Amino acid sequence: MKQINSMNYEKFFADRVADLKQEGRYRVFVDLERKAGGFPRAIHHGSGRPREITVWCSNDYLGMGQHPLVLAAMHEAIERCGAGAGGTRNIAGTNHYHVLLEQELADLHGTESALLFGSGWIANMTSLNTLARMLPDCVVFSDEKNHNSMIEGIVHSRAEKRVFRHNDPAHLDELLGQFDPARPKLVAFESVYSMDGHISPIKDICDVADKHGAMTFLDEVHAVGMYGPRGGGVAERDGQMHRLTVIQGTLAKAFGVVGGYIAGSAAMCDFIRSYGTGFIFSTSPPPAVAAGALAAIRYLKSHNELRELHQERAQTLKTRLAKAGLPVMPGPSHIVPVLVGDPVRCKQASDLLLEGHDIYVQPINYPTVQRRTERLRFTPTPMHTDSDMDHLVSALKQVWERLGLRAAA
């Protein structure tokens, strides 16, 4: 019998992982145990005995994942409904908590309807894919720094696409002007770009889209709960919610649990519900998750003081880092990136902070950010104290000196 010289699959897998390690881009998961009621503290289960550390990179931006009202709502839902949802929404998985949550989300964004997904990634992937794939001869215009979930949705739609320069309405206008006015068009962008902390000019982009008869798809994942008088996001803050075709958000960041959603017209949400395979074939979130998100949204709608404190904490940290000569990257949002510019030393800085100073912040490397812009990304919360900031700044100065990293220009 002739021997088949088949590929060595295991070697291929191991070699590709080795490539990442060689480049300094291999990602190591730190084993953490969040402390209920103790955020931003956590227990690190690493080498040696477990010890308490301070988390500086959580996307639980407002600590709602630890809020007593959220925890109580989740406990009550488990007692009433059990653990799982029972299946997809189309079969056995539409729970009353899902219905209430979608109504609350529509109210938050001032829209007719909302649609719940298992994650923000799935919400983006499914919605953009479905819209761009099914609209006849649609062309999509995507900001060059859009999130992977948006890019994947656009790519898998197989629709024609154009990429416009980051936060550049003039370039978008130029690209839109190259197409037949009657052709379906979709402009996809974010409000807060989570790695740089940039905020998009929503009004200007909507003006350009309206000029050319294009739909707008706004990802507010890093803004819902944290901007606007009720937490509707940057679009609410800027008075632009009514101009957007689709608003997409998450329940996993400011609202402290997990899940994603879209909000918009009743017809648009029903269209995605009926044709979006990522929705149709996905098991729906557990009732307890929906109940926790519902409690968080209701709370944040009426507690703007938490958003104000969050913004103060972010600005205070930026000021302290800059005063210490550390290369904090400027930006108008709550994201606080500190530039390293090298993947290996970025990982080394993260390791030194954790092992020597009990500070946890993950290195951000390519492909999440461009090469030579590797950074540490800090997300201060209302629960981080002045003392926490003093300790962080002192630790960073020591690490910068030890690694010979460049200071602020």
Side-chain angles (χ1 to χ4, degrees):
M1 182 177 180
K2 185 178 179 180
Q3 185 173 356
I4 299 174
N5 294 320
S6 61
M7 181 178 185
N8 186 332
Y9 302 111
E10 295 301 313
K11 183 177 185 302
F12 174 83
F13 302 146
D15 286 349
R16 296 297 75 75
V17 171
D19 290 344
L20 292 176
K21 291 180 178 179
Q22 179 69 27
E23 291 183 49
R25 294 197 293 120
Y26 180 72
R27 301 177 188 224
V28 177
F29 292 157
V30 176
D31 187 352
L32 299 179
E33 179 185 341
R34 283 162 62 93
K35 294 180 65 175
F39 185 78
R41 313 294 175 225
I43 302 300
H44 175 221
H45 296 274
S47 56
R49 63 181 181 82
R51 70 184 195 276
E52 184 177 275
I53 56 95
T54 300
V55 177
W56 273 101
C57 55
S58 174
N59 284 339
D60 187 1
Y61 291 128
L62 301 177
M64 293 305 293
Q66 306 284 315
H67 197 284
L69 287 177
V70 174
L71 301 185
M74 297 184 75
H75 281 293
E76 180 185 355
I78 289 174
E79 291 299 320
R80 293 181 64 177
C81 302
T88 67
R89 292 281 292 275
N90 296 290
I91 296 177
T94 293
N95 187 277
H96 188 54
Y97 282 112
H98 298 138
V99 176
L100 293 176
L101 177 55
E102 288 174 341
Q103 292 172 352
E104 198 73 29
L105 288 165
D107 177 79
L108 176 66
H109 293 291
T111 58
E112 292 179 335
S113 189
L115 187 65
L116 180 64
F117 292 82
S119 72
W121 198 96
I122 294 296
N124 266 340
M125 170 68 175
T126 300
S127 302
L128 282 166
N129 179 15
T130 306
L131 288 167
R133 174 171 48 86
M134 295 199 64
L135 283 164
D137 201 25
C138 181
V139 57
V140 183
F141 300 83
S142 176
D143 187 289
E144 67 178 337
K145 290 199 173 183
N146 275 345
H147 189 262
N148 167 266
S149 57
M150 302 176 76
I151 296 169
E152 290 290 328
I154 295 165
V155 168
H156 283 275
S157 75
R158 299 185 180 180
E160 185 176 357
K161 70 177 186 297
R162 293 290 185 272
V163 177
F164 63 93
R165 288 189 293 268
H166 179 54
N167 280 352
D168 190 339
H171 189 222
L172 173 63
D173 185 32
E174 177 187 335
L175 293 177
L176 280 162
Q178 297 171 6
F179 291 85
D180 184 342
R183 186 172 177 183
K185 307 173 196 68
L186 175 61
V187 178
F189 63 111
E190 301 180 38
S191 60
V192 176
Y193 289 83
S194 63
M195 292 300 135
D196 298 304
H198 299 161
I199 293 180
S200 64
I202 296 175
K203 179 184 182 302
D204 295 340
I205 290 175
C206 286
D207 288 346
V208 171
D210 288 349
K211 174 183 173 183
H212 295 277
M215 297 183 299
T216 48
F217 186 109
L218 177 65
D219 179 316
E220 288 257 42
V221 160
H222 290 274
V224 289
M226 296 180 293
Y227 295 84
R230 298 199 312 155
V234 177
E236 183 193 27
R237 184 198 72 178
D238 294 353
Q240 301 297 310
M241 285 198 303
H242 64 288
R243 304 186 65 189
L244 297 154
T245 311
V246 185
I247 296 173
Q248 183 269 345
T250 185
L251 306 171
K253 295 179 171 59
F255 299 130
V257 283
V258 68
Y261 65 89
I262 59 170
S265 71
M268 185 277 296
C269 288
D270 199 18
F271 171 77
I272 300 297
R273 182 188 71 84
S274 301
Y275 287 97
T277 54
F279 174 86
I280 293 170
F281 294 105
S282 290
T283 297
S284 54
V289 167
L294 183 63
I297 295 166
R298 286 174 173 170
Y299 180 84
L300 289 175
K301 280 180 177 178
S302 59
H303 285 80
N304 194 47
E305 75 279 359
L306 195 58
R307 282 181 282 280
E308 292 174 347
L309 178 57
H310 180 243
Q311 290 294 320
E312 179 275 321
R313 292 285 78 190
Q315 187 55 54
T316 297
L317 181 59
K318 290 177 185 179
T319 300
R320 291 192 179 197
L321 292 170
K323 187 176 180 180
L326 292 159
V328 59
M329 301 168 69
S333 75
H334 59 281
I335 306 296
V336 185
V338 176
L339 182 66
V340 177
D342 176 84
V344 173
R345 292 197 291 176
C346 195
K347 177 65 167 61
Q348 289 173 339
S350 172
D351 291 343
L352 289 171
L353 287 168
L354 181 62
E355 298 305 324
H357 302 277
D358 295 331
I359 289 170
Y360 174 58
V361 58
Q362 268 289 67
I364 306 295
N365 294 332
Y366 178 85
T368 306
V369 296
Q370 293 178 342
R371 298 182 193 274
R372 295 182 294 281
T373 70
E374 293 83 4
R375 68 200 64 178
L376 301 176
R377 172 185 174 269
F378 297 93
T379 54
T381 73
M383 292 76 189
H384 286 95
T385 66
D386 286 347
S387 178
D388 292 331
M389 291 190 187
D390 290 339
H391 179 55
L392 173 63
V393 172
S394 174
L396 282 169
K397 289 172 68 176
Q398 293 178 51
V399 167
W400 246 244
E401 183 177 353
R402 178 169 174 178
L403 295 177
L405 296 172
R406 59 190 175 198

